[in-house]
Amino acid sequence: MISDFILPQNIGKLVSGQVPEANNTGYSGAGVFVFDDLVLKIEKISENNDATVEMMRWLEGKIPVPKVICCEKDNEYQYLLMSRTPGMMSCDKYYMERPELLISTLALAMKMLWSVDISGCPRDRNIEVELKEAEYRVENGLVDIERTEPSTFGERGFKDPEDLLNWLKSNKPDYEPVLSHGDFCLPNLFMEGDRFSGFIDLGATGIGDKWRDIALCYRSLKHNAEGFYSGKVYSGINADRLFDELGIKPDFEKIRYYILLDELF
Ligand SMILES: Nc1ncnc2c1ncn2[C@@H]1O[C@H](COP(=O)(O)OP(=O)(O)O)[C@@H](O)[C@H]1O
Ligand SMILES: [Mg+2]
């Protein structure tokens, strides 16, 4: 509930009198409150906070992202007030029942990222950066094994997160840098009618490998189609259609690598 937080004055003024809807879609642990035209995201203070806001500001006018309206911090939290992206999450039933539209629009969004000139991009999420962060998470017991794919750990998988981390360190794929969203899953991609309306949740956005987004998009399509989150199965979705729409041949080794890397986040 928003009343669990003591909002900084500037933020409080901007949303005063408005009643938000709490959004429980994400897994990041952030508090997300959706107002008519604004969204307030409240996250624990981390090294990442400022970089995300800087990234959002840099992207404004380049691709559709929420506009940063006000950002404040106290000792515990960062309060990010941004514009509300119009439309619906691409995992909405409306799009899940229209696989052609869904997959072609996701591919279009991805190509939109690839078309951004990355010179001057303020955040670099190359594989070394990702592995360093993954190492920190492994060393500090922050990896939640409960939320990983059933095959990743255990009998036929890796022994534990450390074992996976070591494998990732010694099997780095070659690097194809683009502007990468970093968490290219359906709830973070918005659509309105038959068009793409925006990227949200830019906490891992920056220069990164092209296959990072492809891998997470592919997995997200499959999971949402299998009813992993909603319980509803959509039999008409063929995730492999993504490669046709992107006009590239799938590289399943790289896809596997980036899905495994994401298991540590
Ligand atoms: N700017 C925004 N416009 C519209 N909806 C948003 C916006 N930001 C967040 N949401 C909604 O809240 C959900 C969770 O927010 P998100 O930033 O993705 O949090 P998390 O990091 O927990 O995934 C999103 O999937 C979306 O439904
Ligand atoms: Mg999200």
Side-chain angles (χ1 to χ4, degrees):
M1 290 226 305
I2 197 158
S3 55
D4 295 338
F5 298 93
I6 302 167
L7 300 185
Q9 253 186 0
N10 284 344
I11 302 269
K13 265 192 231 156
L14 290 164
V15 299
S16 82
Q18 301 184 47
V19 182
E21 217 173 278
N23 184 302
N24 303 312
T25 309
Y27 286 97
S28 70
V32 178
F33 302 96
V34 181
F35 298 88
D36 287 346
D37 303 314
L38 300 171
V39 174
L40 177 61
K41 185 166 182 176
I42 305 176
E43 283 184 284
K44 282 251 190 243
I45 294 283
S46 78
E47 285 171 7
N48 210 11
N49 297 145
D50 294 338
T52 299
V53 173
E54 196 186 352
M55 193 66 221
M56 288 173 78
R57 291 199 164 119
W58 188 78
L59 286 172
E60 237 186 270
K62 294 187 172 73
I63 54 172
V65 293
K67 185 176 168 57
V68 177
I69 308 288
C70 184
C71 184
E72 297 279 337
K73 283 185 205 165
D74 60 20
N75 291 333
E76 219 178 331
Y77 298 107
Q78 181 205 46
Y79 303 80
L80 171 59
L81 188 66
M82 61 190 130
S83 62
R84 179 174 176 178
T85 299
M88 302 184 287
M89 295 189 284
S90 56
C91 52
D92 190 277
K93 181 168 174 276
Y94 180 87
Y95 294 106
M96 295 301 290
E97 287 176 345
R98 289 166 177 77
E100 282 298 314
L101 174 64
L102 171 68
I103 296 177
S104 61
T105 311
L106 288 171
L108 201 118
M110 206 176 297
K111 286 185 196 164
M112 203 186 277
L113 293 174
W114 299 348
S115 73
V116 174
D117 176 3
I118 52 177
S119 50
C121 175
R123 182 155 55 185
D124 198 343
R125 302 278 319 184
N126 65 51
I127 190 68
E128 301 304 336
V129 175
E130 295 260 321
L131 286 172
K132 227 173 165 202
E133 210 171 302
E135 183 171 69
Y136 176 85
R137 294 181 55 79
V138 171
E139 282 174 358
N140 290 277
L142 300 172
V143 178
D144 183 358
I145 293 189
E146 299 291 309
R147 282 194 45 227
T148 58
E149 305 279 331
S151 58
T152 300
F153 298 107
E155 248 168 64
R156 275 180 296 144
F158 294 91
K159 202 165 98 251
D160 52 26
E162 197 180 352
D163 186 28
L164 170 56
L165 179 66
N166 288 335
W167 183 85
L168 291 166
K169 282 181 180 170
S170 33
N171 288 279
K172 284 180 260 181
D174 51 326
Y175 187 39
E176 293 176 61
V178 291
L179 176 67
S180 152
H181 178 279
D183 192 9
F184 201 107
C185 58
L186 272 47
N188 291 334
L189 299 150
F190 267 59
M191 296 181 187
E192 188 179 33
D194 62 0
R195 59 174 201 104
F196 179 68
S197 60
F199 302 92
I200 62 153
D201 201 358
L202 304 159
T205 304
I207 302 170
D209 191 83
K210 184 175 183 171
W211 289 89
R212 182 166 79 138
D213 283 351
I214 298 175
L216 299 197
C217 183
Y218 185 71
R219 182 186 62 182
S220 185
L221 271 170
K222 280 187 175 270
H223 278 173
N224 279 285
E226 286 159 7
F228 199 79
Y229 308 103
S230 65
K232 184 160 169 45
V233 177
Y234 296 91
S235 54
I237 294 193
N238 173 7
D240 290 293
R241 286 273 310 129
L242 180 66
F243 308 113
D244 302 332
E245 292 292 340
L246 288 171
I248 54 174
K249 273 210 199 97
D251 184 333
F252 285 110
E253 266 181 46
K254 284 188 182 169
I255 290 173
R256 175 164 181 262
Y257 184 92
Y258 282 102
I259 290 177
L260 284 172
L261 175 61
D262 196 60
E263 296 286 50
L264 300 177
F265 285 85

